[in-house]
């Protein structure tokens, strides 16, 4: 190896370490923000906001972030990171809590089957389906840049918002869920299934 090769390898090694350090700190921030939302913000907020409303707000926020990215000529790492942070923080805190609120008033069989069907077909198939769709698009049209990907994610968020809006009309209000839970406890003698 020449001196230039060694210097280049050292520079690349320092850049890799800096990148890994930045990524580690970023994911720590995601966890802190998620925890703050889950344990400090959401419990008092849910006393005043219906779950169906929060279901609608989540894709709206993500769509705002992705649309803002789509209109940036040269999106910065901070802007992309903020978008990803908002998605992950809401997924880890609000969406998981809302999932449970939907299932609680249901009977055992509906809860179990519903969670499994949504887990397999909704989450896993959705992620796999999107990966396959992006792979098909890139194989047919070539590689996408950040701008094109933000157009796709904004369109996906719009479809998600439309579906969420329709489905959130089926989510029980807090009062309806409490009544269903109370009736379920009466039927099962206060516990069990």
């Amino acid at each position: 190896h020449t001196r230039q090769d060694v210097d280049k390898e050292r520079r690349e090694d320092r850049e890799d370490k800096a990148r890994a350090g930045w990524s580690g700190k970023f994911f720590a921030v995601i966890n802190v923000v998620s925890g703050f939302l889950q344990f400090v913000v959401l419990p008092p907020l849910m006393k005043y906001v219906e779950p169906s409303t929060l279901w609608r707000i989540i894709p709206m926020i993500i769509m705002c972030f992705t649309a803002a990215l789509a209109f940036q000529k040269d999106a910065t790492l901070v802007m992309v990171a903020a978008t990803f942070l908002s998605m992950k923080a809401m997924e880890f805190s609000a969406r998981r809590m809302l999932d449970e609120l939907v299932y609680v008033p249901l009977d055992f069989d509906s809860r179990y089957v519903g969670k499994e069907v949504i887990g397999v077909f909704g989450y896993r198939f959705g992620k796999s389906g999107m990966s396959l769709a992006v792979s098909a698009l890139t194989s047919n049209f070539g590689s996408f840049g950040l701008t094109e990907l933000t157009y796709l994610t904004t369109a996906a968020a719009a479809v998600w918002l439309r579906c969420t809006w329709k489905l959130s009309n089926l989510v029980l209000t807090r009062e309806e869920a409490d009544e269903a839970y109370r009736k379920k406890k009466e039927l099962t003698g206060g516990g069990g299934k």
Side-chain angles (χ1 to χ4, degrees):
H1 289 281
T2 67
R3 174 78 177 162
Q4 291 171 334
D5 291 338
V6 171
D7 288 343
K8 181 182 175 189
E9 286 178 19
R10 285 184 183 157
R11 253 191 330 273
E12 288 173 355
D13 188 46
R14 279 195 303 271
E15 289 172 3
D16 287 346
K17 287 179 182 176
R19 192 176 303 114
W22 191 92
S23 295
K25 289 174 189 169
F26 176 70
F27 281 97
V29 168
I30 289 174
N31 289 329
V32 168
V33 170
S34 298
F36 182 75
L37 286 173
Q38 189 170 8
F39 297 112
V40 177
V41 174
L42 289 172
L45 180 69
M46 291 310 294
K47 292 178 185 174
Y48 304 102
V49 177
E50 287 292 338
S52 61
T53 303
L54 198 53
W55 270 116
R56 294 171 180 163
I57 290 171
I58 292 171
M60 280 186 205
I61 291 170
I62 292 171
M63 197 164 99
C64 288
F65 273 99
T66 58
L69 271 179
F71 290 113
Q72 299 290 317
K73 182 175 171 95
D74 291 317
T76 64
L77 177 61
V78 171
M79 186 72 172
V80 173
T83 302
F84 188 71
L85 184 139
S86 71
M87 279 190 319
K88 285 302 180 187
M90 284 186 284
E91 177 186 354
F92 295 155
S93 59
R95 204 201 80 229
R96 297 229 173 125
M97 177 216 36
L98 288 168
D99 285 353
E100 293 304 316
L101 289 176
V102 168
Y103 294 121
V104 165
L106 301 176
D107 63 277
F108 177 78
D109 291 334
S110 299
R111 236 184 2 254
Y112 178 76
V113 172
K115 281 183 172 185
E116 290 303 311
V117 167
I118 289 171
V120 170
F121 291 107
Y123 300 141
R124 289 175 188 88
F125 182 71
K127 288 179 181 182
S128 299
M130 276 311 281
S131 294
L132 288 172
V134 170
S135 293
L137 286 171
T138 55
S139 67
N140 289 325
F141 300 107
S143 184
F144 290 110
L146 181 61
T147 303
E148 292 82 10
L149 285 174
T150 58
Y151 293 155
L152 287 171
T153 55
T154 303
V159 169
W160 179 27
L161 175 60
R162 177 75 176 127
C163 294
T164 300
W165 203 275
K166 290 186 89 148
L167 289 172
S168 66
N169 291 325
L170 303 173
V171 174
L172 299 177
T173 64
R174 193 174 17 266
E175 189 177 306
E176 292 168 336
D178 288 345
E179 180 63 20
Y181 186 71
R182 186 187 60 73
K183 284 181 182 177
K184 184 174 81 170
K185 281 183 81 172
E186 287 174 4
L187 290 173
T188 60
K193 292 184 176 181

